[in-house]
Structure formats: C-alpha cells, structure tokens
C-alpha cells in the first residue's frame, strides 16, 4: 500500500512507540509486507531467520527487533514487537469505513454497468464500463474492476488475507491493506472468493474465466486467458501464468508458480511449481502420462504378490 | 430454448447476416446447442469433426460454415462464424432484463411460500407453494421451482453455464438461454450453485436433498431422491439417476451417467460413467471393495521390496 | 433444545397422539436426539438396533415404537412413528418465525459491532461487542456470537443440519432445533457455512480462524485456536480439539475426533479419529511420514516389475 502523501519516518516512530535508527526525516512512501516491498516502502521483520532478507530487500525502511547496523540508503525503526508496530501503521492509514448503503458513497461505477439487487459495493471501489454485477455479490473496499467484467451472484471480492502470526496466547491477525484488481473481460462464477493482498494486490488477468466456488488467496497473480473450473482453490502468493487451465476441485499450495499453458486435471493437488505447456494429474501432481502409468503399475500389484509367493 | 412464437428461417438469416440454403420460409420453433436439439430447433456447427453429427441430428435447422447438401426435411444457414450467429439469435430472443427490486416484478410466487430478507428472485421466475427461500439466496431469471422446496441461505440458482469457445484472441462466451427446473420436495443447502442449461434445462428431481456448497453444472439432470453431501461438485451435462448418494467432496466429470442407486464415497473423483447399485471410491473411482484391496496391497510394498533384495 | 418452561409428558402424548407408559405427570425439560441427551430430556428411538441405547441413555423420556418395560426413573411414549412424533414436538416448540427485515426485531447486537449492508440477522440472535459482520452474511435464528468476532461476506451461520430418515417414499427431514455458538475472537472467512445442531449446539472455540469456503456440519465442536484453510469440509458430530490445523480442501468424516495439535495436510481425507500432536496426509489419511514413504515405494514399482521379469 502506498500512502496518499509521504510520511516522515519519525512520525511513524512516534505512532508506534519505536525508536529511529538512522535519518528520521526521510519520507516513507508506503508500507508492505516482505513479499511486496519496493523502494520507499516500510516493512517489518521480527525473526532472526529473516533479518538479512529484510535488511537486503528493496524496502528503504525496516521495523526490526534487533540492534543492527543501518544499511546504506536505509533507515530503521527499533521495536520490541515489529508485527504490532506494522499493524498499527496499517490501521492508521487504511481505516475501515463502515458503509451505510449497499452502494457506498465513495464507489465509482462506469457507464453501462449493471448492479443487480443486493450486491454490495464497498468504499473507494472502482468498477469500469459495461460490467454485470449479479445479485448479492460483495465487493470489499478499494477493489478495482475493469471493463466488460461479469461477476456472478454471491461472489466475494476482496475479503481479508488469511494471514496470522501465532503467539503463545493465540493467533494475531495481520491487517490486510492490499487490494484486488480485476482486468477487462474477466468472468467470475457464483460463490467465488478472491481475497485482497496483505499489502499488495491480488490480480486477475484480462480475459480469464472462473466457474463457481473458485477460491483465490491473497497476493496471487493470475495471468491472461486462464480457465479455472468449479471448486478450484488457489492459496496465497501464487503466480499463475497465461493460458493455464485448472479443472474441477484442483488445489494449489501457496508461494509457487504454474507455467504458461499448463493444464492440471481434476482433483489434483499442486504442492510445488509446475513447468508450463504440460498436463498434470494427482495429489501430489505428476505429469499426467506418468501418473497414468503409475496407476496401471499399481493394478499389477496382485499378480506381483502372487509371483513372489511362488 | 423455445421461441414464444415461431420465426421464419429467413428472418434469422437477416439477423445474423447469413445465407439460407433450402427453404427460408420454414418456421423455427427454438434454438438449442447440439446436446439438446429437438425437431423444429435451430442449432449450429463450426468444426468439420461435428458436421455429420449436426446434419444428422434432430435439429431441423443448422447454422454451418461449409457448403453442403441440404438434408431432406431440413434447411441450413451458411455463416462464416456459426458460433457468433447462434449467440446473436440467443441474445435477441432472451434479452437480459435488469431487476429493479429484489423480488422482480415478473416473478410468480406461490401461496404459503416464505421469502426471507435479502433473497433475490429474478425476472419470470416461478416458485410453487409452501417453499422456504432463505436470506440472500439468488435466483436468476426464468428459473422454475416446484412446491415444498427449501433453499438455504446464499445459494445461487441459475447462474450462466461455464461454456466458452477458445479463439486466438481469448475465450468467447456461449450465451446461456436455458433454465433450472427444481421439482417438488427438493432441499438445497447453503452456498450451493446450480447453473442454468446452455440452451436446455438443468433439472433436480423430486425429493433430492443437497448439503451445503454443492455445485451442479449446466444441463445436468439429477433424478429423484438423490442425496449429495457437502462440497460435492458435478460438472455439466451429467445424468444422475434416482437414489444416487454422493458423499462429501466427490467430484464428477462432465458428460457421463451415474446409475440408479450408486453410492460414491467421500473425496472420490468420477471420470467416467458408473453402473448403478454399487459402491465406489477413489480418484479415479473404482468399486470400493477393489480400491480397499488395492490400498492393502500398497501397504505390502515395503515387504515386497525387502524380499526382492534378498 | 431446552423448553422455555417444562412440559408434562402427558401433554406431549396428546400433541403427538402417542400413549404414555409410566408417569405422565413427570415434567419434560427439553428434547434432544440421541447424541445430545441429558437428564430431563425427551428423545426417540424407532429401530430395534438402538432400543437398548436409548433406554439406557441419560434421557428421562423416550418415544418408542415397542412395548417395553419402563426403566426406573424414566417414562415412555408409545408411538407407531417416533420420528414423526419427535418432529411434531420440535415444530411446536421451535416455530420458524419469518423475518420482516434484515435485522430481525428480536435480535440483540452488542456495542461497537458493525453490521455491513445486506447482512441478515435472524430472530433471537445474540451478537456480542466489537464484532464485524460483513455484507450479505446470513445468520439464522437463535445463533449466539461472542465478542470480537469477524465474519466475512456471504457466510452462512446456522443453516439446518443435513439429516434425513430414508422412508420407502423418500427422505423425511429431521427438523433442526439446535444452535450455533461462536466464541470470542473467532474469525470466519467468506462463503463459509456452519450448520446448527440437530438438537444441540455446533460450537466454534475461542480464537479459532477459518479461511474462505469452510463447511462445518451440525453438532460439530471445534476447540480453541484452530486454523482451517480454504475449502475444508467437516461433517457432523465431529470433535476437533484445540490447536488443530487443517490445510486446504481437507475433508473430515462424521462422528470422529481429531486430537489436540494435530496437523492434516492439504487435500487429505480423514475417515477415522486421529491422535493429537502428529501430522497426517492422504485419503484415507496416514501419518505424513509414512504416506511419503509409501509414495516413494510406489515410484519403485517399474523397477520391481522389471526385476520380476528377469
């Protein structure tokens, strides 16, 4: 998330009761979790395993719970609880604004777009031209939708990322401040859910089509002209390249890439990245031809056991 | 879809800028895609692989992109793009009518039927007597629901078929003009989706019961007294005969038949037709007893490998 | 379900046209199906297989279709159709009250709780303080929700149990009179469904978090600080102890227990109880390490077959 206007680091130190290490007059342009950081951003790190990654990232500012040397060109905030400090800033700059009506007063809706009864359009949502938003759809705040998009009934766009930090006393929620961006000519089925990014954007590429009950996790980026059949589930921070086809009930784990033109057959589970241009099956997925051979081998087991007995 | 009044073929030629081959004064009574054609219907074919099927089908009229002999008793429309010509006709005769209120003015609702707050009832919907439609249900235009039907909250009846033609530039949508028909005494869980037929009807037979998050694809026909547990997904153009039981998270591929009284155990994937009266398990499904044996054989693999080493 | 005031057994005999065996002046304090009975409750039994279980249960009153000796301290109702008699009583004491507005007049909503547009709150619902109920959520009658609970858009709380008795002429529904109880600090994703108990309570423990499209069946009890990823489905009458993690698309069969701290990996199917503190994978589930070994053994099948040929 970018701030609407840049904020001096010292001001964020005050807000979060943390201590500046380096130049507090430097201007922070946005806040992002580590997967999405850009120059000018503030991020946080609270685990020794990730200190180096954060300090060497593109982020200009890091909230950290260790005394370290300030890397050149950066400035740090020292905090005992960087996670809470991060959440405090997000809450301040992305306040939740309850809506008084189903079409929020700050939403912008393009010419020729039809919103059916019962659909909810949140604050600061932008919807393009000639879209059709069916009944009882829910579109959370700050979502951006292009032209010629169809969203079927009871689908939810922009719910919070499923992202928690385990504390001894229970789960602590990372406050989502990202968005969903849906490009032109996308069609989304009924009862789908596309979550917003934690701090960046979940993106659905132009011309991609989804059947009913498809779930897309936070910060996942879907390419152009993809086809997802019913009840597909894709976790967070996944990259799906162009022209990928996922058949019914496929599940995709987080933080991986499915290459251009890959096809995954129904009910498969994808635990790691898949090369493009091939067809896959199984849980965990293998190339479909190999998996079919394997299933045939398994069918020979009774005769193998018979042979071994003799 | 049947037209409300018959239309001369020549009129459809003009609408779609196509050319009549045969008698243009013949009357077209409806339009259907190839799986659902009846006498008097117009259908289309645009791929050499299916020319013969279409020309020999029950359809009286065919939009085609090849010069062929007109079969006796039929007439043809020549078009460079039969798919687009078909869509043009569907759009003309089944115009989308946005609704101004949650209970559309053209809907008919039977005596004793309760519609809870937030439910949407589309144009030309017919609901029978003594039904209970829970909150935030969405019922698309032209759906027909019998008596004593219960539909739980946030379920969607009649969303568009997931049916696209791949073009070099992206997916081209086949416009759905079919319906959903739900017979008496059906109960449908919460957050289910039952899609309308592409041009024919998706049908749920009398007394069938569905748990939550069940997805039923376009043109699928479900028999009487079936039982589908939570998160079952059934693709398009499937026939489920009477008394079939599908347990949780079962997936069923398109264009197949599950015979009367078959039982499919949880998490199974059904890739081809299943005979009735038996119990199945696995992905791909086998008879449950065989599948259980296979799982037991696999458990013996370590000892087999041990034996082979010695 | 407990009655608001106790009812003499003879009065229920009259209501259901059944015959008292024992002391009809005894007071019935509630009605429950056999899994949830307590002292003072009325339950029913209609199958010889379960006569003893019912007669020896904690229930003080039993509707039964056999002449038997009345156990000491109990009283019975003789009925030809105990199932229907039970339903008749439930219907009488838990009448469905249609709602005239999205926030039902009898609902109680705590201070600081935000209800977004389109959310439905049923009769006699109680929601605590500082909750956030997103748009188009549906909360059925009699649900109880604690403090600091977040429910994302289009989720359904309290739909009826999926519970039917097969009769020769079709399925006969068991009328649900239970509730859903959601404890403090729970977060539930978008398009989830949590069904009410048949006669008891479905319970979600404090601090538990669910991603989108999670389904929880009737009478299931979830412990504290559990984490369920997207598209998890849990059947009815399941006990999930504290700190359990279920990853995406896991399915859990009915009437079993998952022990404290167990982790079940994505796409697994759980057919029987799992010990706590371990990690599981597969359908049917095994310990993950074993399952991984098994998958590796299967990969050796081609070379085994090769060896056997030579």
């Amino acid at each position: 998330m970018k701030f609407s206007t840049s904020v001096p680091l010292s001001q964020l130190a005050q807000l979060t009761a943390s201590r500046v290490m380096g130049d507090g007059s430097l201007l922070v342009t946005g806040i992002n979790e580590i997967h999405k950081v850009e120059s000018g951003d503030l991020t946080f790190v609270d685990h020794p395993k990730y200190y180096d990654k954060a300090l060497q990232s593109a982020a200009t500012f890091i909230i950290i719970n260790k005394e370290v040397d300030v890397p050149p060109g950066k400035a740090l905030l020292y905090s005992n609880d960087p996670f809470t400090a991060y959440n405090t800033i997000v809450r301040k700059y992305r306040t939740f604004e309850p809506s008084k009506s189903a079409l929020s007063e700050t939403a912008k809706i393009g010419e020729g777009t039809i919103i059916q009864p019962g659909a909810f359009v949140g604050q600061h949502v932008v919807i393009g031209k000639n879209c059709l938003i069916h009944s009882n759809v829910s579109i959370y705040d700050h979502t951006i939708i292009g032209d010629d998009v169809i969203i079927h009934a009871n689908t939810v766009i922009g719910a919070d990322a499923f992202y928690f930090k385990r504390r001894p006393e229970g789960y602590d929620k990372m406050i989502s401040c990202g968005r969903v961006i849906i490009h032109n000519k996308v069609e989304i089925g009924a009862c789908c859910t596309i979550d917003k990014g934690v701090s960046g954007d979940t993106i659905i590429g132009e011309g991609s089509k989804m059947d009913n009950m498809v779930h897309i996790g936070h910060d996942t980026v879907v390419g152009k002209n993809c086809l997802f059949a019913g009840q597909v589930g894709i976790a967070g921070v996944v990259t799906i390249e162009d022209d990928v086809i996922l058949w019914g009930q496929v599940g995709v784990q987080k933080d991986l890439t499915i290459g251009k033109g890959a096809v995954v057959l129904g009910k498969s589970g994808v635990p790691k990245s898949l090369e493009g241009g091939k067809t896959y099956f199984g849980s965990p997925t293998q190339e479909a031809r190999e998996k079919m051979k394997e299933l045939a081998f398994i069918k020979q087991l009774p005769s193998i056991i018979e042979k071994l007995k003799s």
Side-chain angles (χ1 to χ4, degrees), chain A:
Chain A
M1 177 183 62
K2 297 298 168 191
F3 299 136
S4 53
T5 55
S6 299
V7 182
L9 185 63
S10 56
Q11 193 174 316
L12 299 178
Q14 207 175 355
L15 173 68
T16 59
S18 54
R19 177 166 48 83
V20 175
M21 300 192 287
D23 181 354
S25 72
L26 288 174
L27 292 174
V28 185
T29 57
I31 184 164
N32 265 319
E33 57 89 47
I34 190 69
H35 293 92
K36 298 280 171 176
V37 283
E38 299 172 2
S39 172
D41 279 350
L42 175 69
T43 191
F44 78 97
V45 65
D46 59 3
H47 195 289
K49 202 170 148 188
Y50 302 113
Y51 286 156
D52 281 353
K53 188 178 177 187
L55 291 166
Q56 290 157 21
S57 74
T60 308
F61 309 98
I62 299 117
I63 318 174
I64 190 166
N65 54 354
K66 199 197 171 191
E67 296 279 355
V68 293
D69 293 339
V70 179
K74 300 194 194 289
L76 310 179
L77 289 182
Y78 180 89
S79 164
N80 289 325
D81 186 349
F83 184 90
T84 297
Y86 172 94
N87 268 347
T88 303
I89 298 169
V90 169
R91 267 206 197 85
K92 163 88 179 172
Y93 289 93
R94 178 59 56 94
T95 323
F96 178 71
E97 305 167 56
S99 288
K100 280 175 193 124
S101 65
L103 298 185
S104 302
E105 48 276 27
T106 56
K108 284 177 193 158
I109 293 167
E111 212 182 327
T113 286
I114 295 166
I115 312 272
Q116 287 281 80
F120 168 76
V121 182
Q123 306 282 8
H124 310 287
V125 169
V126 177
I127 303 179
K129 288 186 251 179
N130 301 317
C131 294
L132 174 50
I133 311 296
H134 278 280
S135 55
N136 294 320
V137 161
S138 291
I139 302 175
Y140 279 60
D141 302 356
H142 297 282
T143 299
I144 294 177
I145 295 174
D147 299 335
D148 304 305
V149 169
I150 298 172
I151 302 179
H152 282 282
N154 291 65
T155 275
V156 176
I157 309 291
D160 293 352
F162 188 67
Y163 201 122
F164 299 91
K165 181 183 175 69
R166 180 79 212 216
R167 308 261 196 190
E169 68 276 16
Y171 289 99
D172 196 2
K173 180 175 179 171
M174 184 128 171
I175 309 297
S176 296
C177 61
R179 303 177 297 180
V180 175
I181 298 179
I182 295 174
H183 286 282
N184 298 345
K185 296 183 190 164
V186 166
E187 179 158 353
I188 298 169
C191 291
C192 290
T193 59
I194 301 178
D195 283 354
K196 62 161 67 85
V198 170
S199 68
D201 295 324
T202 304
I203 297 171
I204 311 298
E206 185 169 329
S208 285
K209 312 290 183 185
M210 299 179 198
D211 199 352
N212 301 335
M213 297 190 200
V214 171
H215 163 63
I216 311 273
H218 66 88
D219 295 290
T220 285
V221 175
V222 174
K224 292 181 189 173
N225 295 319
C226 290
L227 204 66
F228 301 161
Q231 299 180 323
V232 159
I234 302 175
V237 199
V238 169
T239 301
I240 310 270
E241 295 182 357
D242 296 349
D243 300 313
V244 166
I245 297 177
L246 306 179
W247 290 113
Q249 300 185 332
V250 162
V252 179
Q253 281 189 25
K254 67 179 176 179
D255 214 359
L256 57 79
T257 296
I258 299 185
K260 183 173 157 62
V263 175
V264 185
L265 301 181
K267 277 203 111 63
S268 296
V270 182
K272 53 185 185 185
S273 291
L274 298 179
E275 236 178 274
K278 292 177 177 170
T279 300
Y280 300 89
F281 182 50
S283 171
T285 33
Q286 302 170 244
E287 271 203 66
R289 268 175 315 182
E290 280 173 37
K291 180 70 187 176
M292 294 310 175
K293 272 189 216 162
E294 195 179 281
L295 290 173
F297 283 135
I298 289 174
K299 293 255 174 292
Q300 297 181 42
L301 267 173
S303 70
I304 292 173
I305 290 167
E306 206 49 48
K307 260 192 195 163
L308 283 175
K309 276 185 190 155
S310 63

